[in-house]
Amino acid sequence: MTTVKVQASRKPMDFAVVRQPIWCPGCGDYGILEALRRALAEVGAKNEEVVIVSGIGCSSQLPHFMKTYGVHGIHGRVLPVATGIKVSNPKLTVIGVGGDGDGYGIGLNHLIHAARRNVGVVYIVSNNQVYGLTTGQMSPTTLKGVKTKTTPYGSIDSPVNPLALALSAGATFVARGFSGDVAHLAQIIAEALRHRGFALVDVLSPCVTFNRVNTYDWFRARVYKLESVGHDPTDFEQAYKRALEWPTLDPYGKIPIGLFYKREDLPAYEEEVAGLLGGRSPIEAPLELSEELVEELLARFA
Amino acid sequence: MEVTIRISGAQGEGVESAGRLTAQALAKLGYHVFAFRQYASIIKGNPTMFYQIRASTTKIYSHGRWSSFDVLVALNKNALVAYEGGAKYLIYDSADRSTPQRRGEVPIPLADYALKAGNKIMRNTVAVGALMGLLGIDISVLADLLKREFGEKGEKIAEQNIQAAQMGFDHAVKAVGSALGFGKVGEPKLLMSGAEALAVGSILAGMRFYAAYPMTPASPIMHFLAEVGPKFGVAVLQAEDEIAAMNMVIGASFAGVRAATGTSGGGFDLMHEAFGLAGMIEAPAVVFLSQRGGPSTGLPTETEQADLLMALSPSHGEYPHAVIAPYTIEDGLYAVAKAFNLAEKYQIPVIVATDLYFNESLTTVDDIDWKRFKIERGELVTSPVVWDEYKRYKLTETGVSPRAIPGILGGMHVATSDEHDERGDVITDRHLPEIRKAMHDKRMRKLAKVVEEMEGPAVFGSGEIALVTWGSTAMPLLDLASLERDVEVIAFRDIYPLNKEAALRALDGAKALIDVELNYEGQLALYLKRELGVELKMKILKWWGEPFSLDELSELV
Ligand SMILES: Cc1ncc(C[n+]2csc(CCOP(=O)(O)OP(=O)(O)O)c2C)c(N)n1
Ligand code: SF4
Ligand SMILES: [Mg+2]
């Protein structure tokens, strides 16, 4: 069951607002914003049926630049809020957006649980390998050896590998994009929007102000597209191997982007919940009970 | 006509089901019943846990006395030795003591009968059978309950249990006759726990989403909802932690569904940040704060009321919220209905504060007042709006703004944890003190409207001595007031924001005011002093995991 209805000729600008983004010029988040608008247009989403949930960080400002519903919540809690929305009203297109600190640091727990539940949320992580909004501290994806404000002698922490983690946790759609390739990223997000269940889209998204290591040029020299090497996204083992390539096996080596893994045969969490509720979602369940139902409820205590 | 029964044994020995069956039998016969369980944080062990069941022909609100009772049913020797001093009648295993030492003792070969009926684990059923005999309750009442408990699938088990009960029954009748004569006195009454009252109240109040992480004594709310909720359209999610639970509730609420979570102190600690988020983005939410002994893991299976000050001010910063603490289990039904209405009308998070004594005790509930379940959704936008004009956080006189939910054409906006303007746009990229002033004031002034809906304390009885309390401690106090002349009970239920005039009116007069609470600091007294300038100089406080009992209260007062 895909939750996105196809509507005639929607344009990226249909999702734009007057307010201009407040990111630094050149920030990778511009690429994510543009790609998201294009993807929503491509799948024909209706503005009022889209909810974008974010946490706290530079990247989490994104909902403010979209003509959709949004929750700009607290740091790291994107996925629980998104889960609450999607389960309550599965007809909505629910998108999570946040930083690497937000999603792989303080909120990492929720990524694993959203993945294993297979809740129908597209989760886009702006992975700039640094804490942008708090002015340049180490993040969970900062590479070992990289100097930041909190690692002045070079980071001694190994980075997390979000894609391998998500795959291990049972995510049914795992992809990586690059802000420097908006067209490619837009395709990935559109495919994620059409996916049944949870989709993680990790985006290499340079912070031009606080990350002088992982720059656009740094990524351009390293990224390659999975589709160009004949990767089969239905093969879990292949996907896992590709996921380990970077940053786990060679943090300074080649970086695969594109769709790592996808399977469509598992029910989404909101479908399971609706199944328990007799085929309806919470928003469809009447607020007031019929007399018979009230009696049935009270009969349990007789 | 009244009886108090204590059934004691080791955890895992069947005290739990014996207590429940006894309470159910008495409720079936039309008695008012209250049953309370004292136990420890261990699955099997603790030789002397007990279930105390009190039944009466008049309305009762508590388990009654602590140190004396009419009947002790002891499932092991430790229990017998621990509590026999307080009992008039004793039912125990003759293996633990073969010859009675005084009148009223009924030794029964519990294990032998159980074995004869098919399985040693039915010792507790034999004991309940004997108890029915002593009480003079027809065995068919118990037989029906056993049949229902084991259902059609367990027909054979039900039969064995009935046989076991019959042997205990016959033995007791032969030994002491149906000494206590508890026949049918009225129509069967509904019997529910406090947690079940909260759950049922929620379903009736239109809650259709519940997310929580297990924690005693809030878990039974989720257990009930998980089993029964789906039939009524309630989605029940077990979250990965309390942080997730509270954020899920906010998500559901944003989507337009009435939503709640439940936890105890430690879990609520974890929810604070999201609780404040609900305040900031004006998302209705209800939290069942089920207190237990703190701090930290504290007394996980014992009762306390030490989280009042926390409930008054969870999370950082200033934002409006409300706190309601039902003062009887029946009132729990209505308190919940009110909580959901307040949450939605004023777009605020609301705490329903109870405790272990409240959640886990069973009581009979009389007629339910259906008028009190009217669902009020406040400023919910249900038809399309013009996007260019729509202001989710419009500055209004009441502070309440029109709330559009996803799906409503033109209602697109962002609910923002950062300070924002009327449209919900984040303003923290600039210094905009005027907008901050206006928005903060808008949110805070909702409290002035909420307080208009807050009732003053409930007052019972009248007298020179006024016992001032809140939440579940009102339950034993209500019983005390019906026993002792000259005692008045002032029970605070709609706690925050406080209806000060009504509170002062209740506390006014030459009465001697005594603060009665289950905590060390006298937290209600501190609060009333802060809000009203009234000092409750005398205090009866308790913080060692027991609820107040009638005998101890009589003495202290
Ligand atoms: C509970 C909590 N802890 C810390 C912060 C401070 N904080 C705000 S954003 C942030 C990290 C931002 O990094 P990231 O999530 O990677 O987003 P980016 O700015 O890089 O897009 C931190 C630590 C906070 N807002 N809340
Ligand atoms: S600090 Fe970095 S992440 Fe933040 S807006 Fe600037 S470039 Fe983007
Ligand atoms: Mg970052």
Side-chain angles (χ1 to χ4, degrees):
Chain A
M1 187 182 80
T2 61
T3 52
V4 179
K5 281 183 227 86
V6 178
Q7 222 197 18
S9 61
R10 307 240 55 207
K11 293 181 215 56
M13 282 309 284
D14 293 341
F15 295 94
V17 290
V18 176
R19 179 162 198 191
Q20 290 307 301
I22 51 177
W23 296 308
C24 307
C27 173
D29 293 338
Y30 286 96
I32 296 178
L33 179 65
E34 177 56 25
L36 179 58
R37 287 176 182 169
R38 284 191 206 171
L40 284 168
E42 188 183 318
V43 301
K46 291 185 191 162
N47 300 62
E48 68 277 6
E49 290 181 357
V50 177
V51 186
I52 305 178
V53 182
S54 69
I56 296 295
C58 294
S59 42
S60 290
Q61 303 275 352
L62 186 140
H64 292 284
F65 318 126
M66 291 290 291
K67 190 176 174 182
T68 62
Y69 282 89
V71 180
H72 179 188
I74 49 178
H75 192 34
R77 314 305 165 193
V78 171
L79 290 172
V81 173
T83 301
I85 296 170
K86 187 68 183 180
V87 165
S88 295
N89 187 354
K91 290 204 179 104
L92 301 171
T93 297
V94 184
I95 299 160
V97 176
D100 43 321
D102 201 87
Y104 304 150
I106 191 168
L108 179 65
N109 179 12
H110 309 305
L111 171 61
I112 290 167
H113 295 286
R116 76 180 169 93
R117 291 185 185 118
N118 200 30
V119 60
V121 171
V122 173
Y123 185 35
I124 303 170
V125 179
S126 163
N127 185 355
N128 56 15
Q129 299 172 265
V130 75
Y131 282 9
L133 190 64
T134 47
T135 71
Q137 298 86 359
M138 173 181 68
S139 95
T141 50
T142 299
L143 299 183
K144 201 163 176 179
V146 170
K147 290 182 180 163
T148 69
K149 277 195 185 147
T150 48
T151 56
Y153 308 111
S155 163
I156 55 171
D157 295 21
S158 287
V160 300
N161 184 326
L163 303 197
L165 261 175
L167 284 169
S168 309
T172 52
F173 186 108
V174 175
R176 180 189 283 134
F178 173 39
S179 287
D181 189 343
V182 172
H184 182 248
L185 179 58
Q187 274 327 110
I188 292 175
I189 297 175
E191 195 163 348
L193 287 169
R194 292 195 183 99
H195 175 65
R196 174 196 198 191
F198 182 71
L200 172 67
V201 182
D202 179 72
V203 186
L204 306 168
S205 176
C207 168
V208 295
T209 305
F210 294 112
N211 188 338
R212 300 299 167 86
V213 176
N214 311 99
T215 61
Y216 284 98
D217 286 344
W218 193 90
F219 285 117
R220 281 205 182 96
R222 286 170 177 78
V223 295
Y224 73 91
K225 289 182 182 158
L226 285 167
E227 49 275 31
S228 69
V229 295
H231 173 68
D232 174 9
T234 63
D235 182 336
F236 182 83
E237 274 179 45
Q238 250 192 58
Y240 201 79
K241 276 197 190 124
R242 292 286 175 186
L244 289 181
E245 280 179 22
W246 187 82
T248 306
L249 296 177
D250 185 1
Y252 293 87
K254 291 283 180 196
I255 306 173
I257 59 173
L259 179 59
F260 285 67
Y261 185 64
K262 177 167 113 162
R263 69 182 284 189
E264 298 280 348
D265 58 323
L266 295 176
Y269 194 58
E270 61 278 10
E271 295 171 41
E272 302 264 30
V273 172
L276 285 172
L277 305 195
R280 59 190 169 168
S281 57
I283 192 102
E284 292 164 338
L287 247 71
E288 296 195 33
L289 302 183
S290 65
E291 241 167 73
E292 297 83 75
L293 277 176
V294 170
E295 254 166 51
E296 191 182 326
L297 183 58
L298 294 182
R300 304 191 60 94
F301 303 101
Chain B
M1 197 168 169
E2 184 174 319
V3 68
T4 302
I5 303 147
R6 183 173 286 192
I7 301 175
S8 179
Q11 279 172 229
E13 229 172 1
V15 175
E16 174 85 38
S17 72
R20 222 173 222 280
L21 284 169
T22 306
Q24 283 169 343
L26 287 156
K28 278 255 180 274
L29 297 172
Y31 291 91
H32 297 273
V33 177
F34 191 99
F36 161 69
R37 190 170 59 134
Q38 166 84 29
Y39 67 111
S41 187
I42 184 171
I43 305 303
K44 291 193 193 301
N46 178 31
T48 56
M49 79 158 283
F50 66 78
Y51 221 126
Q52 183 157 317
I53 304 103
R54 180 173 169 226
S56 171
T57 43
T58 58
K59 187 124 177 113
I60 51 169
Y61 295 98
S62 74
H63 62 281
R65 289 161 284 141
W66 191 260
S67 52
S68 65
F69 23 87
D70 302 299
V71 184
L72 172 70
V73 178
L75 295 180
N76 65 44
K77 197 164 185 171
N78 285 313
L80 175 63
V81 172
Y83 302 125
E84 66 176 319
K88 283 194 219 98
Y89 291 93
L90 299 177
I91 292 173
Y92 55 82
D93 197 327
S94 48
D96 292 332
R97 181 189 292 163
S98 49
T99 45
Q101 298 182 343
R102 57 176 162 95
R103 276 188 53 197
E105 289 193 21
V106 189
I108 297 183
L110 297 181
D112 295 350
Y113 284 164
L115 258 180
K116 230 188 257 173
N119 194 329
K120 217 175 110 182
I121 61 164
M122 293 185 296
R123 286 173 76 241
N124 62 337
T125 312
V126 178
V128 178
L131 177 63
M132 295 297 120
L134 174 66
L135 291 174
I137 294 175
D138 199 300
I139 192 70
S140 67
V141 177
L142 180 60
D144 287 347
L145 290 171
L146 288 167
K147 272 185 219 149
R148 193 175 69 178
E149 176 151 329
F150 295 105
E152 275 158 28
K153 271 182 276 165
E155 213 170 300
K156 179 151 175 259
I157 303 177
E159 255 167 49
Q160 290 179 337
N161 272 279
I162 291 168
Q163 203 193 332
Q166 184 76 53
M167 285 190 269
F169 182 89
D170 293 342
H171 190 115
V173 170
K174 208 163 135 201
V176 284
S178 291
L180 301 179
F182 274 75
K184 188 171 164 75
V185 292
E187 288 305 304
K189 288 192 183 338
L190 299 180
L191 182 76
M192 62 174 76
S193 71
E196 287 165 341
L198 299 176
V200 167
S202 302
I203 296 174
L204 293 172
M207 182 194 74
R208 297 294 174 260
F209 185 97
Y210 188 82
Y213 186 82
M215 190 168 191
T216 302
S219 300
I221 306 170
M222 179 160 50
H223 299 166
F224 182 85
L225 289 171
E227 187 191 336
V228 176
K231 174 94 213 244
F232 302 91
V234 185
V236 180
L237 273 62
Q238 180 169 334
E240 53 269 37
D241 55 40
E242 288 86 351
I243 296 175
M246 187 69 210
N247 280 283
M248 285 173 175
V249 164
I250 288 171
S253 165
F254 183 77
V257 170
R258 285 193 160 196
T261 182
T263 185
S264 192
F268 191 54
D269 290 348
L270 292 181
M271 290 181 184
H272 284 198
E273 192 190 14
F275 193 86
L277 170 65
M280 186 57 153
I281 67 174
E282 308 194 37
V286 172
V287 178
F288 297 114
L289 172 58
S290 308
Q291 302 161 95
R292 67 190 207 189
S296 194
T297 309
L299 298 171
T301 62
E302 298 179 59
T303 203
E304 194 166 279
Q305 297 180 290
D307 298 339
L308 177 62
L309 295 179
M310 167 166 81
L312 292 173
S313 180
S315 202
H316 57 285
E318 300 161 309
Y319 59 91
H321 79 295
V323 182
I324 301 180
Y327 61 91
T328 63
I329 287 174
E330 202 168 311
D331 181 48
L333 291 164
Y334 309 128
V336 169
K338 179 166 190 170
F340 278 99
N341 280 344
L342 286 179
E344 199 159 24
K345 276 169 80 178
Y346 301 101
Q347 302 172 15
I348 53 170
V350 178
I351 295 170
V352 177
T354 63
D355 50 48
L356 184 136
Y357 183 60
F358 179 100
N359 280 28
E360 295 190 351
S361 293
L362 289 170
T363 194
T364 41
V365 170
D366 290 324
D367 288 341
I368 295 172
D369 181 0
W370 295 107
K371 284 195 303 294
R372 299 174 77 174
F373 288 96
K374 202 167 149 269
I375 292 173
E376 300 171 75
R377 306 209 68 181
E379 298 283 314
L380 187 69
V381 175
T382 51
S383 44
V385 291
V386 179
W387 183 69
D388 298 304
E389 292 164 12
Y390 174 61
K391 290 176 172 166
R392 166 65 185 96
Y393 300 106
K394 189 176 155 91
L395 295 169
T396 60
E397 206 179 308
T398 59
V400 181
S401 321
R403 183 168 72 105
I405 56 171
I408 296 287
L409 204 66
M412 291 80 74
H413 66 276
V414 182
T416 311
S417 66
D418 276 78
E419 189 58 276
H420 42 264
D421 63 17
E422 287 182 277
R423 299 256 307 163
D425 273 339
V426 61
I427 61 158
T428 47
D429 53 322
R430 293 146 288 169
H431 177 55
L432 293 171
E434 293 310 321
I435 297 182
R436 160 66 173 183
K437 259 192 235 169
M439 296 308 290
H440 198 64
D441 191 63
K442 159 200 151 43
R443 287 187 296 270
M444 295 307 288
R445 76 175 165 257
K446 291 193 287 187
L447 279 174
K449 282 285 151 192
V450 179
V451 81
E452 286 176 11
E453 301 213 19
M454 300 303 268
E455 287 164 39
V459 179
F460 303 90
S462 69
E464 282 308 298
I465 297 176
L467 303 173
V468 184
T469 193
W470 67 286
S472 78
T473 292
M475 302 198 297
L477 294 186
L478 286 181
D479 281 345
L480 184 77
S482 66
L483 289 179
E484 311 263 342
R485 273 188 292 133
D486 234 24
V487 168
E488 178 173 317
V489 176
I490 301 175
F492 282 85
R493 180 252 213 182
D494 291 357
I495 292 194
Y496 178 82
L498 187 65
N499 180 337
K500 293 186 192 177
E501 294 82 66
L504 281 172
R505 231 177 295 131
L507 295 173
D508 202 25
K511 288 166 273 194
L513 299 172
I514 306 178
D515 177 45
V516 189
E517 303 182 60
L518 287 176
N519 58 55
Y520 182 88
E521 294 177 296
Q523 297 191 3
L524 176 68
L526 291 172
Y527 175 54
L528 294 179
K529 182 162 182 217
R530 184 187 98 185
E531 294 291 307
L532 308 172
V534 172
E535 187 130 24
L536 307 183
K537 289 208 187 70
M538 284 176 281
K539 295 189 178 68
I540 299 178
L541 303 171
K542 210 175 158 181
W543 59 90
W544 44 94
E546 292 165 8
F548 282 104
S549 298
L550 282 181
D551 38 1
E552 108 193 283
L553 283 169
S554 293
E555 224 167 90
L556 287 166
V557 170

